[in-house]
Amino acid sequence: RRSPGRRRRCGPAAEGSSPRDGGSMRCQVSVLYFARSAELAGLRCETLSVPREITSLQLWEEIVKAHPRLAVIRDQVVFAVRQEYVLLGDQLLVLQPGDEVAIIPPISGG
Amino acid sequence: MEESEDVPKDFIKLRSEKLSVDEVSELVVSPYCGAVSLFIGTTRNNFEGKKVIHLEYEAYTSMAETEIKKICRDVRQKWPSVKHIAVHHRLGVVPITEASVIIAVSSPHRAESLEAVTYCINTLKASVPIWKKEIYEDEYSWKENKECFWANSEK
């Protein structure tokens, strides 16, 4: 059983993600899954190719394409992009290669 | 170990080993401070009639440390006389009655450290990416802090 807090290295891009498109319009980001989202996706991290400019909702939809079981938690999650919280919605993200995007279910620290 | 007593320090640790109240208190003690205030979060053995066997915590560790640092920064803005702040949070399995989190704050007089500790735990529950799973006899449940603004949100 994996120890929490110890991450695996991100694996190869998930099935269903598009191949790199010349590099100028898309980039590879590290997607991190936690708590319930890790259980639903079946993994803790992976590399995904996504458009460099994308709304947070569109980014969610790309991730759900790769992991349809995540759809059930759509109304309860936010993202953390480069460790800043981002709601799922119209906010335009400008992603850089290697950026960390984390799926953040409702937190329960303390 | 540094001996510069004047410099306020933040001590932030996420770890799987058992937490120590003595250790955390000693981190913030200062000859310039007449008060050390402490919060200890422990694990209850029941939830809604179900017996809790133990808790399990996981964290987005790098971001959790960053968010806790932000909390410390906020504390120092709101209560400038606060000297040292220590936040230790346990990860992994936490047996019943053991501590999940210990927060200690020192200040010259007690009002500031008491208020700062309250602020720290309340803000930690609202903003730090740590998750708790309650393990019952036959099932488990991912908990959601009521302070978390994206839990049960209506869109």
Side-chain angles (χ1 to χ4, degrees), chain A residues 1-7 30 32-39 44 73-89 99-110, chain B residues 16 39 41 56-64 66-67 70 89 91-93 100-101 121 124-133 140 142-146 148-155:
Chain A
R1 226 196 136 107
R2 248 173 274 126
S3 281
R6 229 175 271 163
R7 306 218 64 77
S30 295
L32 308 179
Y33 301 91
F34 292 96
R36 181 129 187 259
S37 71
E39 290 177 347
R44 295 210 158 256
I73 57 170
R74 178 195 181 284
D75 289 339
Q76 296 158 50
V77 297
V78 298
F79 281 126
V81 179
R82 296 186 294 268
Q83 303 196 357
E84 298 284 343
Y85 292 118
V86 177
L87 294 174
L88 268 55
D99 272 352
E100 270 186 4
V101 173
I103 315 298
I104 309 279
I107 56 178
S108 38
Chain B
S16 53
F39 173 80
E56 290 178 18
Y57 284 90
E58 67 178 70
Y60 183 2
T61 317
S62 52
M63 186 176 173
T66 304
E67 289 297 310
K70 284 184 195 169
H89 202 300
L91 299 180
V93 173
S100 311
V101 61
I121 184 60
L124 185 152
K125 283 181 168 287
S127 69
V128 176
I130 295 175
W131 295 270
K132 171 167 72 180
K133 191 158 94 169
Y140 66 83
W142 287 105
K143 306 305 295 181
E144 302 182 0
N145 289 344
K146 64 183 193 311
C148 173
F149 73 84
W150 61 93
N152 302 313
S153 58
E154 289 175 10
K155 302 245 163 86

Side-chain angles (χ1 to χ4, degrees), chain B:
Chain B
M1 202 185 328
E2 287 184 307
E3 289 296 306
S4 47
E5 304 280 7
D6 267 329
V7 180
K9 295 193 202 75
D10 302 332
F11 300 95
I12 299 166
K13 194 176 270 191
L14 273 52
R15 63 187 232 183
S16 53
E17 294 78 28
K18 191 170 176 180
L19 302 183
S20 161
V21 172
D22 282 346
E23 181 188 333
V24 178
S25 313
E26 278 162 31
L27 286 171
V28 304
V29 159
S30 160
Y32 298 92
C33 293
V36 172
S37 298
L38 269 183
F39 173 80
I40 306 165
T42 57
T43 67
R44 278 177 290 148
N45 64 6
N46 73 89
F47 176 72
E48 288 180 354
K50 287 181 283 208
K51 181 179 166 193
V52 177
I53 310 298
H54 64 252
L55 303 185
E56 290 178 18
Y57 284 90
E58 67 178 70
Y60 183 2
T61 317
S62 52
M63 186 176 173
E65 287 171 359
T66 304
E67 289 297 310
I68 297 172
K69 276 186 206 146
K70 284 184 195 169
I71 294 173
C72 293
R73 212 161 47 229
D74 287 351
V75 163
R76 295 180 184 294
Q77 275 184 338
K78 292 172 189 293
W79 297 279
S81 68
V82 158
K83 180 67 79 176
H84 303 306
I85 305 168
V87 178
H88 281 204
H89 202 300
R90 195 160 171 195
L91 299 180
V93 173
V94 183
I96 301 301
T97 75
E98 291 190 17
S100 311
V101 61
I102 303 176
I103 298 173
V105 178
S106 56
S107 58
H109 305 286
R110 69 184 182 281
E112 290 78 8
S113 68
L114 284 167
E115 288 171 26
V117 163
T118 302
Y119 176 85
C120 278
I121 184 60
N122 290 345
T123 311
L124 185 152
K125 283 181 168 287
S127 69
V128 176
I130 295 175
W131 295 270
K132 171 167 72 180
K133 191 158 94 169
E134 261 174 13
I135 312 298
Y136 312 113
E137 283 166 319
D138 297 324
E139 51 183 330
Y140 66 83
S141 166
W142 287 105
K143 306 305 295 181
E144 302 182 0
N145 289 344
K146 64 183 193 311
E147 296 85 351
C148 173
F149 73 84
W150 61 93
N152 302 313
S153 58
E154 289 175 10
K155 302 245 163 86

